[in-house]
Amino acid sequence: MNKIKIKIELFSEKHIDDIASLEKICFSNPWSKNLLASEIYNNNSNFLVAVDEFNKVLGYVGLKFILDEGYVTNIAVFPQYRNNGVASELLKRTIEFGYAKNLKFISLEVRKSNVYAISIYKNLGFALMGERKNFYIDPQENAFIMTKYLK
Ligand SMILES: CC(C)(COP(=O)(O)OP(=O)(O)OC[C@H]1O[C@@H](n2cnc3c(N)ncnc32)[C@H](O)[C@@H]1OP(=O)(O)O)[C@@H](O)C(=O)NCCC(=O)NCCS
């Protein structure tokens, strides 16, 4: 059962400042506001934002798709709202979008050490497909490639 009420919205201008702060908190190579803003009008993107009942931003997920392939660009949740099912809900909605768009698969990279994220992806049906050497910097680390086939 969720401890907080989670609503999922399409990413829009009003979320940019919060999502840019979240990127800075979570990643050593954060997306800029400009880069985030460019996704709002990208027909090949589906970025989703989770908010609570007071419209406070909790987290977000980005999906880019080309033909029938989907790629998760990033997923992040503010530290104080973690372990409430926010990331799982964002991913479930992304998977639903993938089915609706008739995507063949959704794939993502994750730091090899990010056991928490890896377990969430496994729970949602993503399987380990391979490894990309030194994919990440600051600190340098290999990525696991995880993919969920939708058909
Ligand atoms: C990874 C991240 C997005 C997860 O967000 P979240 O909203 O806390 O995830 P959820 O609440 O949906 O957690 C889902 C599962 O993880 C489990 N979990 C929660 N806290 C955990 C912990 N500290 N250790 C292990 N598992 C944990 C939950 O029990 C839940 O499992 P269940 O569905 O079987 O009950 C979040 O920790 C984050 O933003 N991390 C920094 C950015 C990042 O690493 N992003 C991933 C890039 S690939």
Side-chain angles (χ1 to χ4, degrees):
M1 175 117 60
N2 294 328
K3 290 168 222 154
I4 39 178
K5 209 171 177 152
I6 303 165
K7 290 192 292 174
I8 306 293
E9 300 180 343
L10 261 183
F11 178 51
S12 68
E13 301 277 356
K14 68 180 178 191
H15 303 120
I16 289 177
D17 287 349
D18 286 329
I19 301 304
S21 316
L22 178 58
E23 277 277 328
K24 280 191 191 150
I25 290 171
C26 294
F27 303 112
S28 57
N29 196 9
W31 281 36
S32 67
K33 284 188 193 178
N34 279 348
L35 192 53
L36 287 164
S38 69
E39 298 301 340
I40 295 172
Y41 305 102
N42 183 346
N43 290 332
N44 284 93
S45 288
N46 189 64
F47 279 43
L48 300 175
V49 177
V51 299
D52 70 5
E53 56 195 309
F54 309 107
N55 292 320
K56 174 103 189 72
V57 170
L58 309 172
Y60 96 108
V61 63
L63 178 82
K64 287 190 180 235
F65 52 95
I66 176 106
L67 303 174
D68 58 356
E69 304 179 358
Y71 297 93
V72 173
T73 58
N74 259 344
I75 179 160
V77 174
F78 279 104
Q80 64 270 37
Y81 300 114
R82 288 182 190 163
N83 200 16
N84 281 290
V86 175
S88 302
E89 192 57 34
L90 284 164
L91 281 168
K92 279 182 201 156
R93 295 288 287 269
T94 299
I95 292 164
E96 279 171 23
F97 175 86
Y99 280 117
K101 273 276 173 193
N102 218 14
L103 299 184
K104 188 172 160 196
F105 63 79
I106 295 176
S107 193
L108 54 82
E109 282 100 8
V110 57
R111 280 183 183 271
K112 235 179 132 169
S113 62
N114 199 344
V115 286
Y116 178 22
I118 291 167
S119 77
I120 295 171
Y121 303 144
K122 276 192 184 148
N123 283 345
L124 289 170
F126 286 80
L128 185 57
M129 307 301 286
E131 201 167 324
R132 284 194 216 284
K133 203 167 162 46
N134 298 333
F135 183 77
Y136 294 104
I137 49 165
D138 296 334
Q140 191 172 73
E141 191 177 353
N142 289 7
F144 278 148
I145 303 163
M146 298 185 74
T147 301
K148 180 180 175 73
Y149 278 87
L150 306 182
K151 56 183 178 186

